[in-house]
Amino acid sequence: MPGDEPDDPLADLADLILNVGRLVRARTPEGPQVVTLNETERQVMRVVDLYPGAAPSEIARRTRLQRTNVSTALRSLEDKDMISRTASAGRGIAVSPTARAADNLRLLRAAWAGELAGLVGDDLDAVRRCTEVLSRLERALTADDNEP
């Protein structure tokens, strides 16, 4: 079974993803220009960015978080002007990122790129291939169970 072997490449990949993510997050800039988010808010915001217009229940399914935790995060993100909620078909609500969220993400991405630029060298083709694999994993892991 995958993961049972001490040198399982999939387990190694998952372990490295978690650790590198933690290390990059530790180097994330702080200050008045950057909106600080907690872990749940980050997860919710990522799904809102990937699936703008998603309903809160869809966000909960995609993040695999409790609906109450998503509701709390959405209230906090709305207070921080990171999301907007609008009425959608029927009695539904659509959640979308705001301009402030886009600005915040641009600041973070620039900082992250700066942190990694000197560490990965000139092999941007390898970085692009790695990004493609990780993007496929993210899409699969955030797939709504109702999607084909």
Side-chain angles (χ1 to χ4, degrees):
M1 172 174 217
D4 290 345
E5 298 299 318
D7 62 347
D8 186 307
L10 296 174
D12 292 344
L13 176 64
D15 186 43
L16 284 168
I17 289 168
L18 292 168
N19 196 43
V20 169
R22 182 188 62 76
L23 292 167
V24 169
R25 188 173 300 125
R27 294 171 179 245
T28 297
E30 294 182 4
Q33 296 142 333
V34 176
V35 179
T36 303
L37 304 178
N38 66 35
E39 183 62 30
T40 302
E41 291 167 343
R42 278 193 292 271
Q43 289 179 42
V44 168
M45 199 67 233
R46 181 66 181 173
V47 168
V48 170
D49 283 331
L50 286 173
Y51 305 96
S57 58
E58 180 183 349
I59 294 167
R61 282 193 308 270
R62 289 184 185 279
T63 58
R64 310 303 197 258
L65 293 170
Q66 294 285 330
R67 179 74 163 85
T68 54
N69 293 341
V70 170
S71 293
T72 299
L74 289 173
R75 278 192 301 278
S76 178
L77 289 166
E78 196 168 35
D79 290 344
K80 294 175 180 181
D81 191 30
M82 297 293 284
I83 61 152
S84 64
R85 295 192 245 195
T86 56
S88 64
R91 295 178 15 179
I93 299 293
V95 180
S96 299
T98 62
R100 183 172 192 199
D103 290 343
N104 196 60
L105 187 54
R106 272 192 292 281
L107 285 170
L108 292 173
R109 288 175 57 84
W112 296 333
E115 285 290 332
L116 297 182
L119 303 175
V120 298
D122 293 333
D123 195 358
L124 292 182
D125 286 337
V127 170
R128 286 183 186 97
R129 287 191 306 275
C130 183
T131 300
E132 289 171 16
V133 169
L134 293 174
S135 293
R136 283 197 314 268
L137 286 171
E138 180 181 46
R139 288 280 180 183
L141 292 169
T142 61
D144 191 327
D145 294 334
N146 299 325
E147 290 178 339

